[in-house]
């Protein structure tokens, strides 16, 4: 087994498998057998919040492309993905005031819920550049995984802002798996390969458009998802609050009032019931943030400045002060002392 498959720490929500099973079946494959062959449990198909190793997920996708003789497997799978795979954050994205805010939530979601990568965007000279960064090293052929990731990001943007939106250019950091014409059809744009960075480029004017209203079906699914999340935590109110904080941190909707609304409680009632369990909302918020911070600092190379935003802090200074109070040292020093460094990885502490 490649060493990367046993590297600890990097996980991705099994919601990333959205559309995988029907695609495999349409190509004549046996989904359960393929999962077992790649060390993954069939139970993942029924629990979108379960965490699977990113390396095993990437190996599964590559194995499907080879076994089913479908070189564009990643692009086909991307066509079956959408806002529903994001769970509770899908609802928060749809509730954003506009495309810029929605895209900010989307990129934060990807960074927080797929621990093996993150996205960053910037506007330059009238163009919106959406960059993809990979945070794990291994000896796998990850091209199918990368094509799924870039393709799914485009489909999410189109679902959020408009199906008519097309990138002006796409750059991929690997050699093509399928004929170049297949990529041009999928992205409806020129695609270049063997580039330094995966990037989608759009006309920045798309940021001035209105968000596409969510369909009734999507709203029902997302509302039901939140209720299932609450139900699965049982009668443990503190556990419910932690779960909802984790889901809403990237969108900046983790305040007491919003969490209380999701639980169907008045904020004062929520506080009173938490005190009855010997807990407090601010304490649970800090514990949830710090647990996520420790994981990212130890197991990823995500910049501390971006991590601060992912955890809902106004700026990196506020995050650093909070981390210092809890751990007795600033986050960059903690990363230097605790980082899990794999073969060929850069020093995470050097990233600003």
């Amino acid at each position: 087994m490649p060493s990367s498959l046993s590297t600890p720490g990097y996980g991705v929500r099994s919601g990333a498998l959205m559309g995988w099973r029907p695609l495999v079946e349409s190509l004549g494959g046996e989904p359960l057998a393929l999962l077992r062959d790649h060390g993954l449990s069939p139970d993942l198909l029924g629990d979108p919040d379960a965490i699977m190793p990113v390396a095993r997920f990437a190996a599964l996708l590559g194995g499907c492309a080879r076994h089913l003789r479908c070189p564009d497997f990643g692009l086909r799978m991307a066509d079956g993905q959408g806002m529903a795979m994001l769970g509770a954050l899908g609802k928060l994205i749809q509730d954003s005031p506009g495309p810029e805010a929605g895209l900010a939530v989307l990129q934060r979601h990807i960074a927080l819920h797929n621990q093996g990568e993150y996205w960053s965007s910037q506007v330059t000279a009238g163009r919106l550049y959406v960059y993809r960064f990979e945070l794990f090293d291994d000896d796998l052929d990850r091209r199918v995984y990368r094509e799924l990731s870039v393709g799914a990001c485009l489909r999410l943007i189109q679902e959020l802002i408009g199906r008519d939106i097309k990138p002006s250019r796409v750059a991929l950091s690997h050699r093509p798996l399928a004929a170049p014409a297949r990529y041009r059809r999928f992205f409806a744009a020129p695609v270049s390969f063997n580039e330094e960075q995966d990037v989608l480029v759009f006309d920045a004017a798309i940021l001035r458009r209105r968000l596409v209203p969510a369909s009734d079906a999507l709203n029902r699914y997302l509302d039901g998802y939140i209720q299932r999340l609450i139900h699965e935590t049982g009668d443990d109110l503190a556990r419910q609050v932690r779960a909802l904080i984790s889901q809403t941190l990237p969108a900046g909707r983790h305040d007491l009032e919003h969490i209380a609304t999701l639980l169907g409680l008045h904020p004062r009632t929520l506080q009173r019931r938490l005190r009855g369990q010997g807990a407090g909302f601010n304490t649970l918020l800090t514990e949830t943030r710090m647990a996520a911070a420790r994981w990212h600092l130890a197991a990823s190379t995500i910049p501390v400045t971006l991590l601060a935003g992912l955890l809902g802090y106004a700026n990196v200074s506020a995050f650093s002060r909070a981390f210092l109070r809890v751990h007795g040292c600033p986050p960059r020093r903690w990363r230097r002392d605790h980082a899990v460094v794999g073969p060929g990885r850069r020093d995470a502490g050097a990233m600003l």
Side-chain angles (χ1 to χ4, degrees):
M1 180 179 293
S3 61
S4 62
L5 297 186
S6 58
T7 300
Y10 295 100
V12 57
R13 289 175 64 252
S14 57
L17 284 166
M18 181 178 180
W20 175 80
R21 183 171 191 162
L23 175 59
V24 169
E25 291 175 340
S26 73
L27 294 169
E30 298 181 9
L32 301 187
L34 283 165
L35 285 172
R36 286 191 290 266
D37 288 347
H38 290 86
L40 294 169
S41 169
D43 293 341
L44 292 169
L45 297 175
D47 182 3
D49 288 317
I51 301 299
M52 55 184 171
V54 170
R56 291 190 188 277
F57 178 50
L60 171 68
L61 297 175
C64 288
R66 292 188 300 274
H67 178 73
L68 302 172
R69 298 181 179 179
C70 181
D72 63 341
F73 187 88
L75 298 181
R76 293 193 191 197
M77 187 170 163
D79 262 334
Q81 301 205 329
M83 201 67 67
M85 76 174 178
L86 303 183
L89 275 178
K91 180 68 172 174
L92 298 176
I93 291 170
Q94 292 288 352
D95 290 343
S96 298
E100 191 165 5
L103 287 175
V105 175
L106 177 58
Q107 77 176 37
R108 289 171 180 173
H109 163 79
I110 291 172
L112 195 60
H113 290 272
N114 182 347
Q115 299 164 343
E117 66 180 55
Y118 72 93
W119 292 77
S120 181
S121 61
Q122 67 181 54
V123 176
T124 303
R127 297 291 182 189
L128 170 65
Y129 294 83
V130 183
Y131 296 97
R132 176 183 175 275
F133 297 87
E134 213 158 81
L135 299 176
F136 66 105
D137 294 301
D138 59 50
D139 49 4
L140 291 169
D141 181 351
R142 288 170 284 165
R143 288 178 292 169
V144 181
Y145 167 79
R146 289 172 176 169
E147 290 179 4
L148 167 63
S149 183
V150 177
C153 183
L154 173 60
R155 292 296 183 253
L156 286 168
I157 289 172
Q158 291 172 331
E159 185 173 355
L160 183 65
I161 307 177
R163 291 292 182 184
D164 62 312
I165 287 176
K166 299 177 178 61
S168 58
R169 182 171 64 86
V170 178
L172 297 175
S173 58
H174 59 269
R175 65 186 185 277
L177 285 165
R182 173 67 177 105
Y183 297 88
R184 289 195 297 272
R185 287 198 305 272
F186 179 91
F187 291 103
V191 181
S192 57
F193 302 92
N194 299 311
E195 299 285 357
E196 182 177 352
Q197 190 71 50
D198 295 331
V199 60
L200 294 163
V201 184
F202 301 90
D203 187 329
I206 69 171
L207 296 176
R208 297 194 292 271
R209 295 176 60 155
R210 294 177 180 270
L211 295 184
V212 176
S215 67
D216 290 342
L218 178 59
N219 276 325
R220 285 195 300 271
Y221 174 85
L222 296 176
D223 288 339
Y225 176 91
I226 293 172
Q227 293 308 310
R228 288 194 300 274
L229 182 68
I230 294 171
H231 176 73
E232 288 166 4
T233 56
D235 296 328
D236 189 338
L237 184 61
R239 186 181 170 200
Q240 291 178 1
V241 170
R242 285 193 184 94
L244 290 172
I245 288 172
S246 294
Q247 292 286 324
T248 56
L249 269 176
R253 302 292 302 279
H254 53 277
D255 56 278
L256 172 63
E257 289 73 17
H258 186 66
I259 298 299
T261 297
L262 293 175
L263 289 167
L265 298 172
H266 189 280
R268 287 196 295 272
T269 303
L270 176 56
Q271 286 279 46
R272 185 175 64 252
R273 289 179 57 183
L274 286 173
R275 284 195 297 270
Q277 292 188 359
F281 182 82
N282 288 337
T283 299
L284 295 175
L285 174 58
T286 297
E287 290 174 353
T288 304
R289 280 170 153 172
M290 291 300 116
R294 287 192 298 272
W295 186 91
H296 281 282
L297 291 170
S300 83
T301 57
I302 188 171
V304 173
T305 49
L306 181 57
L307 179 57
L310 299 180
L311 299 176
Y313 289 97
N315 51 56
V316 70
S317 296
F319 168 51
S320 295
R321 289 194 299 271
F323 194 91
L324 178 63
R325 283 195 299 270
V326 174
H327 298 92
C329 68
R332 289 187 176 89
R333 184 186 304 170
W334 196 95
R335 165 175 270 171
R336 186 176 63 240
D337 295 339
H338 297 85
V340 179
V341 180
R345 265 188 63 174
R346 293 171 293 173
D347 178 9
M351 297 190 68
L352 299 179

